[in-house]
RNA sequence: GGGUCGGUGGCGGAAUGGCAGACGCAGCGGACUUAAAAUCCGCCGAGGCAACUCAUGUGGGUUCGAAUCCCACCCGACCUACCA
């Protein structure tokens, strides 16, 4: 047995032992509180990078800490294994994505094991496994039956590089590029499958207050859903057709001076007069072309053309001109607006540019007709003028009053608009779960019967980067008999968005590959019901912020849909969420091959061991802040572990302090160590529970520094010394699982350190015996008093006044502030 | 344009109304060594011989007291954007 700290020996040894003992196997135990902890699962790209370590090892420490505090913890791992990289690798190398993916998974499993995490591998789920995706298809089928899944012909976002449609959430930035490859997306008109996530828009916003998620994510989701409340109002064209507009300010209806339609608006052609037709046509084709590049260049000046047509404002019968302009979007609201230049900056800019009428409607706070600036400023003050029956109505509350009036007079109705679009889930790619739908020339759209699931991906599809799924060229896959009439029919060849597969993986983990090999039915459950009742929902979820408006929104929607289908009884899938920050390269920039700043964790594990890499990543700074990797600072954690080792393990080869075991330890020194020990137990526990790993490690370092000193003193002959050794090993266990296990066994223990309880802190023993009270004069520190805690105020005041005599400089003492155990501030002047 | 988070020694950071800089890195000095590495001990915000003074992006404010709370501004990161 080596007396030196050799992580290369002890880490693989314990990893193997833990696996052999089944240390991390989980059972449902009714007598323990459960804790279901999930970390966002990785995509099997082939190599575990530093970002994975940064995401996974602190969440492992948190899960281990829960377990040591008496919780029955389920902490599973899996792979989000469908997706484009596998398919691109397939096209490049001429192999099927399946072997590429499974080889990567196997490699990553080995790398994950090197982290020494407590994952419950028997709960692993891999989304490209047919026994997994048969349930993804089952969910689609359930959603189809429930009317949540529907098919629609509409303009969709298309990435010409990935050759597939994208969900709105996967289109990023002002240049509208593809989330995955950065290529600007274009619009295509296609018939695609969608999920009715918009039906849950209100609940997705309102339920945010019931979950303990970072404010940042809640704000992002709220903005993404973009609820705005207002009214739809029916104007009338000269041809007598209703022209519906949406406004959030129905109280400004009397200030409307013109209307603007999106160039694609269906009424544009009938409104446009002969005289203006060629103008309008030119503008429309220009706008259509712009759409494909980027209609929203920064600071782009608003443009538009007059149609020659007019519409009637229903509230006052005024005829106002109708324009078209590309600042009005067909995809939002009704694609038509009334323009109120006096109260809307964009309308104002447009009216100014084209010489359209600007009218003032709302007064300033004083009741006099105000200037335009005042109108902008007084959005919620003042009263309405020039507003027919509403003259004199306070602006606050006017919108609601006008809406009521519109409804009473049948001119419009209250309406809510959302920015959120329905979730487009069709992908024209092969490496995904096939959408279980068959098109029959006689029966129409026929869903694949539950009992026929899964619709398997063929193993021999040919990969051609054509812009259509390779499944389309696979005759054996594509041509099938209609399940209803038996006649010739065709399968849907699009696959499911991989975000659908990852929307329910926290349920799959409960009992992976449930009912494997068995035919499914509509009334099945995709997981073991009683296990689900025990574990669900997720207590703690951790992962990156990048999924705030994608995965994190989809999985919430999914859970609400499952609830409405009767599959779960709760409303939210993850009760707590913590977003870790991003680990950066040593240069402070995002790690990337092109920058050449990529840190390979395997190298550092080989050099220092997994415990050091784990601890270092947690020591860098607050976990939610991320930060740059420091090539030198990792040494500090490595040294710390060596110092702990040296405190616990006596190397007979080395000269050890020889203290006479009969010498009585100095009681003050013993008390001092005892105090430090109990303070540390409290601090480290609080810090880990709050994900403040950096300060938890600092606390462990401080305790260890105290132990290093104590080891050279008579304190080693005390029972406190032995308690301290035992406790520090236990406290190391969540963050440094291997060295803790090794030291635990060297202390003579036979069961695993990871089965022990977190050491108990005694507040009485943590209490300080004396406190330093700062004496200030006018807020400046002039002296310090060392007193017993709880010293009475008059005593402190007297002592302080005596101490600061020479600072008083003959001036009058005006006031003395005494904060017990903290300070005395003498105010003079 | 809007939103969120942040700005503290040479560096990562600690302190969220009460001794600014815990813990660690780097640096400096010393011990050990033939020497180096490793390890151990000490110093380590700036100015000053010192008593002290100055110091948490900038400017104001609140307070006995502000890195911390409030207002305005500057800088950085991320998100979002003709949303009617």
């Amino acid at each position: 047995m080596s007396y030196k700290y050799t992580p290369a020996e002890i880490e693989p040894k314990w990893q193997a032992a833990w696996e052999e003992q089944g240390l991390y196997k989980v059972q449902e135990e009714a007598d323990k509180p459960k804790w279901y902890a999930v970390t966002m699962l990785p995509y099997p790209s082939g190599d575990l990078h530093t970002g994975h370590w940064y995401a996974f090892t602190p969440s492992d420490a948190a899960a281990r800490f829960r377990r040591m505090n008496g919780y029955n913890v389920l902490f599973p791992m899996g792979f989000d294994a469908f997706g484009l990289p596998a398919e691109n690798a397939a096209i490049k190398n001429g192999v099927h994505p399946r072997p590429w993916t499974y080889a990567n998974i196997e490699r990553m499993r080995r790398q994950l094991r090197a982290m020494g995490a407590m994952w419950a591998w028997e709960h692993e789920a891999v989304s490209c496994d047919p026994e997994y995706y048969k349930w993804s298809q089952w969910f689609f089928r359930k959603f189809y039956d429930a009317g949540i899944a529907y098919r629609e012909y509409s303009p969709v976002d298309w990435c010409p590089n990935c050759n597939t449609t994208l969900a709105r959430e996967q289109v990023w930035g002002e240049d509208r590029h593809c989330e995955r490859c950065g290529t600007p997306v274009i619009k295509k008109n296609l018939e695609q499958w969608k999920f009715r996530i918009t039906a849950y828009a209100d609940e997705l916003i309102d339920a945010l207050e019931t979950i303990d998620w970072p404010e940042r994510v809640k704000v992002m989701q709220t903005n993404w859903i973009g609820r705005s409340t207002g009214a739809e109002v029916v104007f009338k064209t000269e041809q007598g057709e209703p022209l519906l507009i949406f406004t959030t300010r129905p109280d400004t209806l009397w200030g409307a001076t013109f209307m603007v339609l999106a160039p694609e608006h269906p009424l544009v052609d009938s409104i446009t007069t002969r005289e203006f037709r060629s103008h309008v046509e030119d503008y429309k084709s220009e706008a259509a072309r712009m759409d494909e590049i980027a209609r929203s260049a920064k600071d782009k000046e608003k443009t538009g053309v007059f149609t020659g047509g007019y519409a009637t404002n229903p509230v006052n019968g005024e005829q106002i001109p109708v324009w078209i302009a590309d600042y009005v979007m067909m995809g939002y609201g009704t694609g038509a607006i009334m323009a109120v230049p006096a109260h809307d900056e964009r309308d104002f800019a447009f009216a100014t540019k084209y010489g359209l009428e600007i009218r003032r409607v709302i007064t300033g706070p004083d009741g006099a007709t105000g200037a335009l600036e005042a109108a902008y400023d007084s959005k919620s003050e003042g009263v309405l003028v020039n507003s027919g029956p509403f003259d004199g109505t306070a602006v606050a509350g006017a919108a609601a009053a006008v809406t009521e009036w519109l409804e009473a007079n049948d001119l419009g109705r209250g309406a809510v608009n959302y920015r959120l679009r329905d979730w487009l889930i069709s992908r024209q790619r092969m490496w995904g779960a096939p959408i279980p739908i068959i098109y029959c020339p006689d029966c129409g759209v026929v869903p694949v019967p539950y009992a026929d699931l899964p619709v398997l991906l063929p193993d021999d599809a040919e990969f051609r980067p054509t812009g259509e799924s390779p499944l389309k060229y696979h005759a054996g896959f594509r041509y099938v008999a209609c399940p209803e009439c038996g006649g010739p029919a065709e399968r849907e060849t699009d696959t499911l968005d991989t975000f659908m597969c990852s929307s329910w993986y926290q349920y799959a983990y409960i009992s992976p590959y449930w009912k494997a090999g068995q035919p499914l039915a509509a009334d099945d459950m995709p997981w073991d019901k009683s296990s689900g009742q025990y574990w669900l929902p997720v207590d703690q979820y951790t992962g990156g912020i990048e999924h705030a408006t994608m995965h994190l929104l989809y999985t919430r929607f999914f859970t609400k849909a499952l609830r409405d289908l009767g599959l779960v009884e709760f409303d939210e899938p993850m009760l707590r969420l913590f977003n870790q920050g991003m680990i950066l390269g040593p240069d402070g920039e995002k790690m990337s091959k092109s920058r050449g700043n990529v840190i390979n964790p395997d190298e550092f594990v080989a050099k220092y061991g997994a415990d050091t890499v784990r601890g270092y990543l947690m020591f860098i700074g607050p976990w939610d802040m991320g930060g740059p990797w420091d090539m030198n600072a990792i040494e500090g954690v490595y040294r710390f572990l060596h110092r702990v080792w040296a405190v616990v393990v006596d190397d007979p080869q080395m000269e050890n302090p020889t203290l006479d075991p009969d010498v009585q330890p100095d009681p003050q020194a013993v008390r001092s160590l005892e105090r430090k020990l109990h303070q540390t137990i409290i601090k480290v526990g609080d810090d880990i529970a709050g994900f403040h790993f950096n300060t938890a490690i600092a606390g462990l370092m401080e305790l260890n520094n105290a132990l290093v000193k104590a080891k050279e003193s008579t304190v080693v002959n005390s029972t406190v010394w032995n308690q301290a050794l035992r406790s520090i090993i236990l406290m190391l266990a969540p963050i440094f699982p291997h060295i803790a296990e090794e030291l635990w066994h060297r202390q003579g223990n036979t069961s695993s350190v990871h089965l022990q309880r977190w050491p108990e802190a005694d507040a009485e023993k943590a209490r300080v015996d004396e406190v330093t009270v700062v004496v200030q004069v006018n807020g400046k520190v002039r002296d310090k008093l060392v007193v017993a805690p709880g010293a009475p105020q008059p005593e402190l005041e007297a002592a302080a006044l005596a101490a600061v005599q020479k600072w008083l400089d003959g001036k009058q003492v005006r006031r003395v502030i005494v904060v017990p155990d903290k300070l005395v501030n003498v105010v003079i002047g």
Side-chain angles (χ1 to χ4, degrees):
Chain A
M1 186 161 68
S2 168
Y3 293 96
K4 289 211 163 54
Y5 173 45
T6 48
E9 275 171 39
I10 65 172
E11 291 184 352
K13 178 181 83 182
W14 286 117
Q15 284 160 17
W18 294 333
E19 208 155 318
E20 200 178 314
Q21 296 161 20
L23 188 63
Y24 303 129
K25 283 212 161 64
V26 178
Q27 285 178 344
E28 289 143 38
E29 295 174 56
D31 56 330
K32 274 189 184 173
K34 67 96 180 178
W35 190 259
Y36 185 15
V38 181
T39 297
M40 289 182 193
L41 83 179
Y43 176 81
S45 55
D47 251 315
L48 224 48
H49 51 74
T50 313
H52 291 118
W53 276 78
Y54 196 63
F56 295 161
T57 58
S59 57
D60 175 57
R64 287 175 175 281
F65 178 73
R66 282 281 166 186
R67 178 167 166 164
M68 291 183 83
N69 278 278
Y71 286 85
N72 188 24
V73 177
L74 174 59
F75 185 53
M77 182 45 71
F79 292 94
D80 181 21
F82 273 135
L84 270 176
E87 207 167 330
N88 290 338
I91 291 168
K92 201 170 147 194
N93 307 323
V95 293
H96 194 280
R98 184 192 316 280
W100 184 90
T101 302
Y102 279 96
N104 285 351
I105 288 174
E106 199 38 54
R107 180 178 165 75
M108 287 175 79
R109 281 188 188 129
R110 280 200 304 275
Q111 290 176 315
L112 284 168
R113 281 185 166 83
M115 287 182 182
M118 57 173 270
W119 286 304
W121 284 106
E122 74 275 16
H123 285 266
E124 185 198 39
V126 177
S127 68
C128 68
D129 194 296
E131 292 298 342
Y132 184 101
Y133 71 71
K134 81 173 181 187
W135 287 110
S136 300
Q137 292 173 337
W138 183 89
F139 281 118
F140 177 91
R141 178 67 217 266
K142 291 289 279 188
F143 284 8
Y144 177 84
D145 291 350
I148 297 168
Y150 68 98
R151 193 162 175 249
E152 185 183 53
Y153 185 84
S154 67
V156 294
D157 293 309
W158 175 271
C159 173
N161 182 46
C162 297
N163 273 322
T164 184
T165 51
L166 300 172
R168 172 68 187 89
E169 288 77 13
Q170 291 169 304
V171 180
W172 285 11
E174 62 188 45
D175 61 341
R176 297 179 45 76
H177 62 265
C178 168
E179 167 248 340
R180 179 162 285 286
C181 70
T183 309
V185 303
I186 58 172
K187 287 275 184 196
K188 265 197 179 185
N189 285 307
L190 286 173
E191 191 153 31
Q192 299 277 281
W193 286 96
K194 293 179 178 178
F195 284 163
R196 231 176 272 285
I197 189 172
T198 53
Y200 292 89
D202 281 319
E203 199 193 340
L204 285 168
I205 292 176
D206 297 338
L208 283 171
E209 61 183 64
T210 67
I211 47 179
D212 184 6
W213 281 27
E215 204 49 40
R216 188 163 47 142
V217 176
K218 293 185 180 185
V219 168
M220 283 170 74
Q221 292 205 348
T222 304
N223 291 343
W224 186 259
I225 296 165
R227 173 166 64 192
S228 49
T229 308
E232 281 179 1
V233 186
V234 187
F235 282 58
K236 219 161 224 128
T237 67
E238 289 172 290
Q239 292 72 34
E241 288 172 290
L243 174 50
L244 198 63
I245 62 112
F246 173 75
T247 177
T248 54
R249 294 291 307 276
D251 51 322
T252 64
L253 265 164
W254 283 265
T257 57
F258 60 100
M259 299 185 75
V260 186
L261 272 50
E264 310 88 346
H265 196 283
L267 286 178
V268 170
D269 287 343
S270 65
I271 290 172
T272 304
T273 60
R274 185 173 305 141
E275 188 187 345
F276 289 89
R277 188 155 308 270
S278 67
H279 266 102
V280 167
E281 287 306 324
D282 288 351
Y283 188 82
K284 276 175 70 174
S285 53
E286 175 78 0
R289 200 180 59 80
M290 288 281 288
D291 204 37
E292 299 201 349
I293 312 160
R295 200 151 108 174
S296 58
K298 219 179 198 160
D299 303 324
K300 180 175 163 282
E301 202 172 322
K302 296 185 194 344
T303 60
V305 292
F306 182 39
T307 60
Y310 289 79
T312 310
N313 184 339
V315 302
N316 56 13
E318 276 186 302
Q319 295 269 105
I320 55 176
V322 180
W323 286 61
I324 62 170
D326 63 6
Y327 80 90
V328 175
M329 307 285 146
M330 197 57 225
Y332 183 80
T334 61
I337 61 162
M338 62 162 182
V340 187
H343 299 292
D344 183 280
E345 278 183 66
R346 283 162 313 151
D347 296 345
F348 179 76
F350 195 81
T352 308
K353 178 169 177 185
Y354 292 105
L356 293 158
E357 187 189 352
I358 298 165
R359 202 183 303 154
R360 286 149 209 195
V361 171
I362 289 171
T363 67
D366 59 355
T369 302
L372 208 53
E373 299 79 53
Y376 281 125
D377 291 345
S378 63
K379 291 225 155 90
S380 56
E381 293 170 46
V383 296
L384 302 190
V385 296
N386 301 327
S387 298
F390 289 92
D391 282 353
T393 307
V395 172
V402 172
T403 303
E404 229 171 272
W405 180 84
L406 288 170
E407 283 174 358
N409 291 280
D410 209 19
L411 301 174
R413 57 180 185 89
V416 181
N417 251 293
Y418 302 92
R419 220 182 68 105
L420 184 71
R421 309 283 82 171
D422 273 339
W423 176 13
L424 191 159
I425 49 122
S426 295
R427 294 291 179 276
Q428 293 66 47
R429 303 300 310 213
M430 181 268 180
W431 190 233
I435 295 176
I437 289 287
I438 290 166
Y439 302 105
C440 172
D442 294 324
C443 310
V445 175
V446 180
V448 173
Y450 285 98
D452 291 352
L453 297 178
V455 176
L456 286 171
L457 278 174
D459 280 331
D460 54 352
E462 225 185 300
F463 290 91
R464 300 184 220 166
T466 58
E468 287 177 307
S469 168
L471 297 176
K472 208 157 194 166
Y473 304 102
H474 193 281
F477 178 85
R478 186 172 173 186
Y479 300 105
V480 289
C482 169
E484 281 184 10
C485 69
E490 291 187 23
R491 278 194 197 284
E492 167 70 66
T493 55
D494 286 352
T495 53
L496 291 167
D497 182 2
T498 57
F499 277 116
M500 160 137 186
C501 302
S502 58
S503 286
W504 69 280
Y505 76 102
Q506 69 271 25
Y507 302 117
Y509 281 157
I510 298 299
S511 31
Y513 314 125
W514 186 239
K515 294 195 75 177
Q518 297 176 46
L520 302 184
D523 59 356
D524 266 322
M525 275 289 291
W527 60 85
D528 180 73
K529 196 172 179 180
S530 72
S531 296
Q533 268 163 350
Y534 180 80
W535 290 113
L536 293 169
V538 173
D539 294 286
Q540 181 66 60
Y541 197 35
T542 53
I545 185 77
E546 64 273 15
H547 289 298
T549 55
M550 297 195 289
H551 162 67
L552 288 173
L553 194 59
Y554 297 143
T555 191
R556 292 184 62 221
F557 153 70
F558 222 87
T559 291
K560 290 172 193 305
L562 297 196
R563 177 203 57 200
D564 291 347
L565 293 171
L567 293 168
V568 298
E569 284 161 14
F570 44 85
D571 302 315
E572 288 287 337
M574 288 101 179
L575 302 178
R576 290 174 199 77
L577 172 69
F578 189 93
N579 293 119
Q580 81 272 359
M582 196 190 294
I583 182 81
L584 304 170
D587 55 359
E589 299 290 330
K590 205 169 161 171
M591 285 189 199
S592 73
K593 282 192 190 118
S594 58
R595 281 204 187 84
N597 62 352
V598 174
I599 297 293
N600 175 9
D602 296 350
E603 263 173 48
F604 287 84
V605 173
K607 191 170 173 191
Y608 299 109
D611 280 340
T612 295
V613 174
R614 290 169 63 103
Y616 169 62
L617 286 168
M618 292 185 234
F619 189 57
I620 288 178
W623 193 30
D624 50 343
M625 292 299 170
W629 178 281
D630 186 327
M631 289 296 189
N632 295 316
I634 190 168
E635 288 274 359
V637 176
Y638 192 52
R639 276 178 215 152
F640 162 63
L641 293 182
H642 270 104
R643 280 161 62 86
V644 178
W645 182 275
V647 161
V648 178
V649 177
D650 289 317
D651 184 345
Q653 305 291 304
M654 303 288 284
E655 209 181 304
N656 287 295
T658 49
L659 280 166
D660 182 347
D662 294 331
V663 172
Q664 284 305 304
D666 169 22
Q668 270 205 317
V670 171
R671 172 73 191 103
S672 166
L673 180 65
E674 182 183 60
R675 185 187 312 119
K676 186 74 189 170
L677 171 63
H678 287 272
Q679 288 173 339
T680 304
I681 294 171
I682 294 167
K683 179 190 166 51
V684 173
D686 288 350
D687 283 350
I688 295 179
F691 297 104
H692 305 302
F693 302 104
N694 56 329
T695 49
I697 293 169
L700 291 170
M701 286 172 166
E702 278 190 59
L703 177 61
N704 192 56
N705 290 343
L707 292 176
V708 169
K709 284 210 169 65
K711 192 168 186 180
E712 288 165 13
S713 77
T714 56
V715 173
V716 291
N717 289 341
S718 69
T719 53
V720 166
W721 168 257
N722 290 318
Q723 286 165 11
L725 287 192
R726 181 190 145 84
S727 301
I728 197 170
I729 293 167
L730 291 171
M731 287 191 281
L732 287 168
I735 297 172
F736 308 98
H738 309 90
I739 192 174
E741 186 77 304
E742 179 70 21
L743 293 176
W744 184 250
H745 280 78
R746 291 199 184 212
Q747 284 290 89
N749 299 291
T750 48
S751 86
S752 171
V753 70
H754 302 299
L755 296 173
Q756 311 306 314
R757 290 295 293 247
W758 187 253
E760 206 142 320
D762 184 332
E764 195 55 40
K765 289 175 177 160
R767 181 174 300 171
V768 290
D769 299 336
E770 51 186 36
V771 289
T772 303
V773 171
V774 173
V775 181
Q776 298 181 330
V777 176
N778 284 353
K780 286 198 197 301
V781 179
R782 294 306 184 193
D783 204 352
K784 288 165 191 181
L785 307 170
V786 177
V787 299
Q793 294 203 13
E795 201 176 288
L796 286 176
E797 185 169 337
L801 282 171
V804 298
Q805 276 308 314
K806 71 165 185 162
W807 299 98
L808 297 184
D809 203 17
K811 293 200 178 101
Q812 183 95 39
V813 173
R814 293 188 180 276
R815 212 176 142 186
V816 180
I817 311 276
V818 182
V819 182
D821 296 348
K822 286 260 167 80
L823 90 164
V824 180
N825 190 9
V826 179
V827 185
I828 63 171

